Amino acid sequence: MALDQSFVGRSYPPTAPYEVGREKIREFAEAVGDTNPAYTDPEAAKALGHPDVIAPPTFLFALTYRAAAQVVQDPQLGLDFSRVVHGDQKFAYVRPVRAGDRLSVTSTIDAIKSLAGNDIMDVRGEVHDEAGEHVATTWMKLVARAAEEA
């Protein structure tokens, strides 16, 4: 069953603030194999003009994916999450994510289309800090695979 096109443009409430910690940044950088010292050494980050360590560019996926749960769990949307795969991810930064940031994400459905029986949904995440400053915009493409015929 195709997703309802009337959901395009629907935004969901901002998430509760997530406090970005040095240790979470370090763990993420280690997990993705990025040894940039600006991710683990405050002095290296300061030498580059940052007030503290910064996060790797894909760090925000963890926050925006969690925020997108509001979208995929919306019972009115009717998305079968058991059939969903992550199709694509993009990031556009206003500034780097820093240790100490308290970030909230507002998710919006940008597009819904059907292709070969699959539902494809684009979800945009607007990331703001505690002061309301825009930090980044992210886009994720979720693909709900067509149900297999019996």
Side-chain angles (χ1 to χ4, degrees):
M1 182 170 158
L3 294 177
D4 186 345
Q5 289 287 322
S6 72
F7 278 74
V8 173
R10 182 176 288 195
S11 291
Y12 293 78
T15 60
Y18 172 90
E19 187 164 343
V20 179
R22 282 183 184 168
E23 185 62 15
K24 287 293 183 186
I25 291 173
R26 185 198 62 75
E27 290 171 348
F28 189 89
E30 185 176 282
V32 298
D34 196 328
T35 60
N36 185 330
Y39 304 150
T40 56
D41 180 359
E43 294 310 313
K46 287 176 185 172
L48 295 172
H50 304 291
D52 205 332
V53 296
I54 59 172
T58 55
F59 181 85
L60 279 181
F61 176 77
L63 279 70
T64 57
Y65 186 75
R66 184 180 304 155
Q70 293 178 87
V71 177
V72 299
Q73 293 173 0
D74 184 338
Q76 295 176 345
L77 179 61
L79 181 67
D80 180 359
F81 191 68
S82 71
R83 306 206 58 77
V84 171
V85 295
H86 183 254
D88 192 21
Q89 187 74 49
K90 296 178 184 174
F91 303 88
Y93 280 87
V94 175
R95 67 159 176 84
V97 171
R98 305 180 281 240
D101 277 341
R102 291 177 48 82
L103 303 176
S104 295
V105 181
T106 301
S107 297
T108 300
I109 299 173
D110 274 352
I112 295 173
K113 64 182 176 182
S114 291
L115 184 62
N118 300 308
D119 286 322
I120 302 168
M121 182 170 57
D122 294 330
V123 179
R124 176 174 33 92
E126 296 291 348
V127 182
H128 291 85
D129 67 13
E130 199 168 35
E133 179 186 352
H134 184 215
V135 175
T137 301
T138 68
W139 295 268
M140 76 173 58
K141 188 174 297 290
L142 300 175
V143 179
R145 297 169 291 127
E148 297 173 5
E149 296 189 28

